[in-house]
Amino acid sequence: MGESSVLGAVVPTVKSEAPEEPVAAAAAQQLQVQPTPQPARVVVAAEAEERGGDEVDRDLLCPVCMQIIKDAFLTACGHSFCYMCIATHLQNKSDCPCCGHYLGWITIDLAYAAIMYTSISNFGLLRKTSARQIAKNASPFERLRQALQQGCEVSLKELDGLLSLLSEKKRQMEREEAETNLQIMHEFLHCLRKKKLEELNEIQADLQYIKEDISSVENNRISLYRARQRYSSNLKMLMDDPNSKSAWPSVIDKRSSSIKSIVPSEQGKSIMGPGSSQNRKADAKGPASSQMLQRKDVCSGSDSHGTQSAVSVARKRRVHAQFNDLQECYLQKRRNWARQAQKQVERDTSAVDREGYHAGLEEFQSVLSTFTRYSRLRVIAELRHGDLFHSANIVSSIEFDRDDELFATAGVSRRIKVFEFSSVVNETADVQCPVVEMSTRSKLSCLSWNKYTKNHIASSDYDGIVTVWDVTTRQSVMEYEEHEKRAWSVDFSRTEPSMLVSGSDDCKVKIWCTKQEASVLSIDMKANICSVKYNPGSSNYVAVGSADHQIHYYDLRNVGQPLHVFSGHRKAVSYVKFLSNNELASASTDSTLRLWDVKENLPLRTFRGHKNEKNFVGLTVNSEYIACGSETNEVFVYHKAISRPAAWHRFGSDSDEADDDGGSYFISAVCWKNDSPTMLTANSRGTIKVLVLAA
């Protein structure tokens, strides 16, 4: 009976098996009424069972038989009946049993009646079931509240007992909450006390380190002062003795050399400072000038002392300007040395020299001396790299040769130009001509001189070609064309001069040998390669800067997985350079430089101050300093132990470039001259400057 249903406004047809009497069937056919499926019967039965004998809702009863409606029918006047009841009624009358409305020609909407009945019954069942479920799951307090709201009679004594019980429950909950709060506070104070005690112990240890180091420095100063006093006394005695006047110049020279041997090298640098080069020039002029200098120092000494005093004041000013960074550097080195000393069963006497200095203090003194010695970059030479036939003048790479006598430049002009460094520095010509010039088919991205074969230089270009050139013959020695996209970087090994490495946009690192025409090894990576560099101490290790924001450090004897992966940069790593066998510097377009320990797999320091968000701005390192370019057309120099710049120079500050739009240019290449304070720099306009660190 419930197998068919009709949706919408169409009136369904009557099922053939429903009416058994011919008269009832004829009446139903005349009135176009149909029986509905009876899911309602099942629902109502379930409801009656759930109610357990409760009174049935009157809306569900048929007004004729006063029973639950079976096969519901809805009349035009809005009343519902059982099918058989309304059919039987219509055999005798043609009006509604409830209101008397005429039903002779009015159609009963069977589908609507079935839907209405099902909705009404389901709603009633849901409402009553929900009420019972809520009552079943209600808390004791909710049940009590409902009982009181429904007018449950409670005596005054019962209410007093109930109130007393509630008050006691409230006090108990308040005590529990207070105990929990006190427990949390107690744990916090214990943690705070522990942390502050650790800080106090660390501060006390630092104070002890400082006290010991102050004592060491004072003892060293006393020894230097006494040595100087002995030297001055002996010199005065020689000057006052008439019998030794003829021999005193040679004695002075011997004494001078002996006092220099007494003073440690680092201390000598600290005392003499930038004026030491002037003293050496004066000594080179001969005994007469030496005599005059010594007499001046002993007798008057005012000019020399005044100069040294001014230098000392400037260096002290730089110390105070970078005090926080220097403090961090000192404590880090001192604590490291203390931890290493604790690991030793017996302290090695070689770790402490005759002045009482330990390794940590000597290392920091070296940092302090080198950092405060320089405060600016001074231009000592300048030349224009651009030519009349090429408007593109960006210098992508600039490199010194093995002996620092020549330097080569390359860029988007498709030419490698080799200059003689001494002529660029010493000659004042407006235009410097290269001693060698080699043309290429494509724009160049990187250069690398062979550190063993002086006349060999490698280049990488935008077509992915790696070329080895002979500067003497100006011809290519080898060409490697295995890269499928632009090659960004190339580097010769320092320990195996026939080996070189390259990296490309094809996500491949390739190892080449100048004795073979094909690559020796290939490393497939997941991102573009921006920079590659051999470890200076071994040809087995290569550092790779990638566009995946990481530095991958490979052992070429096992390239299945990198030996280390250094993470920390937030954008592509554009350069990697080694300061030593264990120290690696990296540059990124997140405007930071980072220093890593490749042996211990540790980050050491982050350097900030320059701006680099999209361009290759260059990176160069020596044993103490790291230099890079900036998109503000400036060169920045960092000491490897200090996070902030030690010196900087802006291109255009002392040339015609100041008249141009400085924001449109950026530094594109930098290169130190070995471990000297001199470096080469170039910008995107094609201007090349020789800069030197100065006080």
Side-chain angles (χ1 to χ4, degrees):
M1 179 167 42
E3 293 179 0
S4 66
S5 62
V6 179
L7 300 178
V10 179
V11 179
T13 58
V14 180
K15 288 192 176 183
S16 59
E17 69 272 18
E20 296 180 358
E21 298 182 6
V23 178
Q29 198 170 21
Q30 179 183 1
L31 295 174
Q32 299 181 4
V33 295
Q34 291 183 351
T36 66
Q38 51 176 357
R41 175 76 68 177
V42 179
V43 174
V44 173
E47 179 186 8
E49 184 178 354
E50 282 284 329
R51 287 186 298 191
D54 292 347
E55 183 181 357
V56 180
D57 195 328
R58 294 182 61 87
D59 294 335
L60 305 180
L61 300 179
C62 174
V64 177
C65 65
M66 299 305 294
Q67 300 294 326
I68 297 174
I69 295 176
K70 180 181 179 181
D71 298 336
F73 283 81
L74 180 66
T75 63
C77 57
H79 297 99
S80 297
F81 303 92
C82 297
Y83 165 73
M84 291 303 300
C85 294
I86 190 63
T88 303
H89 175 78
L90 291 176
Q91 291 178 4
N92 302 318
K93 298 182 179 180
S94 58
D95 58 353
C96 174
C98 293
C99 62
H101 190 277
Y102 179 70
L103 299 178
W105 299 100
I106 298 177
T107 301
I108 301 175
D109 192 340
L110 176 62
Y112 182 69
I115 293 172
M116 287 297 298
Y117 174 75
T118 303
S119 301
I120 292 171
S121 60
N122 286 343
F123 175 74
L125 177 61
L126 180 63
R127 183 177 59 186
K128 292 178 175 60
T129 303
S130 299
R132 287 193 299 273
Q133 191 70 18
I134 292 173
K136 185 185 297 183
N137 297 333
S139 63
F141 172 77
E142 189 66 23
R143 292 177 183 176
L144 176 61
R145 185 182 63 80
Q146 291 178 357
L148 294 176
Q149 287 179 346
Q150 293 174 1
C152 179
E153 295 183 359
V154 182
S155 65
L156 184 60
K157 184 177 181 180
E158 291 174 339
L159 285 177
D160 289 338
L162 185 60
L163 290 175
S164 177
L165 182 63
L166 290 176
S167 298
E168 181 62 28
K169 182 65 175 177
K170 179 182 177 182
R171 286 192 295 271
Q172 180 182 354
M173 293 179 65
E174 288 176 347
R175 286 193 298 268
E176 291 177 354
E177 184 177 2
E179 183 178 356
T180 302
N181 293 337
L182 290 175
Q183 182 180 1
I184 294 173
M185 176 65 75
H186 188 261
E187 291 180 359
F188 167 76
L189 292 175
H190 265 291
C191 292
L192 182 60
R193 180 176 178 271
K194 181 180 178 181
K195 182 178 179 180
K196 292 301 179 182
L197 284 175
E198 292 175 353
E199 293 178 358
L200 178 61
N201 293 335
E202 188 176 44
I203 291 174
Q204 289 176 344
D206 291 343
L207 288 173
Q208 183 63 30
Y209 298 153
I210 295 170
K211 181 180 179 180
E212 294 173 0
D213 292 345
I214 288 175
S215 178
S216 298
V217 172
E218 287 179 347
N219 292 336
N220 193 34
R221 291 186 65 188
I222 291 172
S223 64
L224 290 174
Y225 176 77
R226 289 174 178 173
R228 184 176 178 86
Q229 289 296 106
R230 287 194 300 269
Y231 165 72
S232 300
S233 299
N234 293 337
L235 181 60
K236 188 174 181 180
M237 290 173 61
L238 287 172
M239 292 176 62
D240 294 339
D241 188 0
N243 296 327
S244 59
K245 283 186 177 180
S246 59
W248 75 270
S250 60
V251 176
I252 290 175
D253 293 337
K254 291 180 181 179
R255 292 289 185 177
S256 177
S257 61
S258 64
I259 191 65
K260 289 180 181 178
S261 64
I262 293 174
V263 180
S265 58
E266 290 298 332
Q267 290 295 323
K269 292 179 183 178
S270 177
I271 294 174
M272 295 176 68
S276 59
S277 61
Q278 299 177 0
N279 294 337
R280 288 194 295 269
K281 291 180 181 179
D283 292 339
K285 292 182 180 180
S289 60
S290 177
Q291 296 171 17
M292 294 175 62
L293 180 62
Q294 296 296 344
R295 287 180 178 178
K296 189 174 183 179
D297 289 340
V298 174
C299 299
S300 62
S302 58
D303 295 340
S304 175
H305 180 74
T307 303
Q308 291 186 4
S309 177
V311 172
S312 177
V313 169
R315 297 182 69 178
K316 290 177 181 177
R317 190 181 300 115
R318 287 194 284 275
V319 168
H320 289 288
Q322 303 283 2
F323 187 83
N324 290 335
D325 290 331
L326 290 170
Q327 171 185 268
E328 180 183 355
C329 178
Y330 165 77
L331 293 176
Q332 180 184 11
K333 294 184 181 299
R334 192 60 172 84
R335 292 166 183 168
N336 289 341
W337 182 86
R339 284 193 293 267
Q340 293 174 5
Q342 289 177 358
K343 294 178 182 179
Q344 297 176 356
V345 179
E346 183 178 0
R347 179 168 296 185
D348 187 3
T349 55
S350 63
V352 181
D353 62 18
R354 62 177 180 273
E355 287 86 12
Y357 272 34
H358 55 77
L361 185 58
E362 283 191 344
E363 189 176 353
F364 176 72
Q365 183 179 355
S366 175
V367 170
L368 189 64
S369 175
T370 54
F371 178 76
T372 58
R373 186 180 301 144
Y374 307 116
S375 63
R376 63 188 179 93
L377 286 167
R378 183 168 56 88
V379 180
I380 60 175
E382 181 175 348
L383 63 92
R384 297 285 181 173
H385 182 265
D387 53 55
L388 299 175
F389 304 101
H390 295 85
S391 58
N393 296 323
I394 297 177
V395 179
S396 302
S397 182
I398 186 166
E399 292 288 327
F400 273 107
D401 73 341
R402 181 192 66 188
D403 302 322
D404 291 335
E405 296 175 350
L406 305 175
F407 68 89
T409 64
V412 298
S413 63
R414 297 181 174 87
R415 294 186 179 189
I416 300 175
K417 296 182 180 182
V418 181
F419 297 88
E420 190 177 30
F421 180 73
S422 60
S423 63
V424 170
V425 173
N426 297 326
E427 296 179 6
T428 58
D430 294 336
V431 178
Q432 289 286 345
C433 296
V435 295
V436 175
E437 187 169 345
M438 297 173 290
S439 299
T440 61
R441 298 190 299 269
S442 179
K443 298 176 181 178
L444 297 167
S445 57
C446 185
L447 294 175
S448 178
W449 284 92
N450 191 307
K451 301 304 179 183
Y452 181 79
T453 307
K454 181 179 175 66
N455 59 324
H456 280 188
I457 186 171
S459 67
S460 58
D461 64 30
Y462 282 33
D463 288 337
I465 301 174
V466 176
T467 308
V468 179
W469 302 85
D470 188 328
V471 176
T472 304
T473 62
R474 308 184 185 186
Q475 299 296 323
S476 63
V477 178
M478 297 292 292
E479 285 191 2
Y480 305 104
E481 301 183 5
E482 293 185 19
H483 283 301
E484 300 171 0
K485 295 182 179 180
R486 174 170 43 193
W488 280 117
S489 182
V490 64
D491 183 51
F492 266 113
S493 171
R494 288 179 177 266
T495 56
E496 292 290 340
S498 63
M499 305 299 294
L500 64 158
V501 60
S502 62
S504 167
D505 273 341
D506 61 5
C507 307
K508 293 180 180 178
V509 177
K510 289 188 177 290
I511 308 298
W512 314 91
C513 179
T514 55
K515 301 175 183 178
Q516 300 182 22
E517 296 183 355
S519 61
V520 177
L521 184 66
S522 182
I523 304 174
D524 292 334
M525 299 183 65
K526 297 181 180 180
N528 300 36
I529 310 302
C530 301
S531 180
V532 291
K533 200 71 178 176
Y534 269 110
N535 188 307
S538 173
S539 60
N540 293 326
Y541 300 101
V542 170
V544 181
S546 174
D548 64 358
H549 310 175
Q550 296 175 326
I551 300 102
H552 303 258
Y553 189 57
Y554 280 96
D555 185 340
L556 298 182
R557 295 166 294 187
N558 181 16
V559 297
Q561 292 291 334
L563 188 63
H564 302 305
V565 177
F566 299 101
S567 302
H569 285 295
R570 294 180 289 105
K571 291 186 179 180
V573 179
S574 51
Y575 295 96
V576 287
K577 301 278 186 177
F578 281 93
L579 285 78
S580 64
N581 296 346
N582 298 329
E583 294 173 308
L584 175 69
S586 62
S588 170
T589 49
D590 61 3
S591 296
T592 65
L593 307 180
R594 290 179 181 265
L595 186 63
W596 315 87
D597 187 330
V598 297
K599 182 179 180 181
E600 302 294 336
N601 189 22
L602 292 173
L604 299 179
R605 189 159 285 99
T606 301
F607 306 90
R608 292 183 175 88
H610 62 287
K611 179 182 179 182
N612 180 204
E613 297 178 351
K614 59 180 181 179
N615 297 302
F616 286 86
V617 296
L619 177 70
T620 183
V621 299
N622 59 26
S623 60
E624 295 290 337
Y625 289 99
I626 305 172
C628 70
S630 174
E631 289 168 359
T632 57
N633 209 22
E634 293 174 288
V635 179
F636 285 83
V637 176
Y638 300 88
H639 191 281
K640 69 177 183 179
I642 306 298
S643 299
R644 295 170 62 185
W648 57 90
H649 171 78
R650 179 177 178 83
F651 270 48
S653 59
D654 51 5
S655 68
D656 295 338
E657 249 175 72
D659 299 332
D660 299 329
D661 182 12
S664 62
Y665 301 117
F666 59 91
I667 304 300
S668 55
V670 290
C671 181
W672 284 112
K673 184 186 177 186
N674 271 335
D675 277 338
S676 73
T678 303
M679 71 170 156
L680 294 168
T681 58
N683 74 345
S684 57
R685 193 189 186 196
T687 301
I688 299 175
K689 290 186 179 183
V690 183
L691 304 177
V692 63
L693 286 168

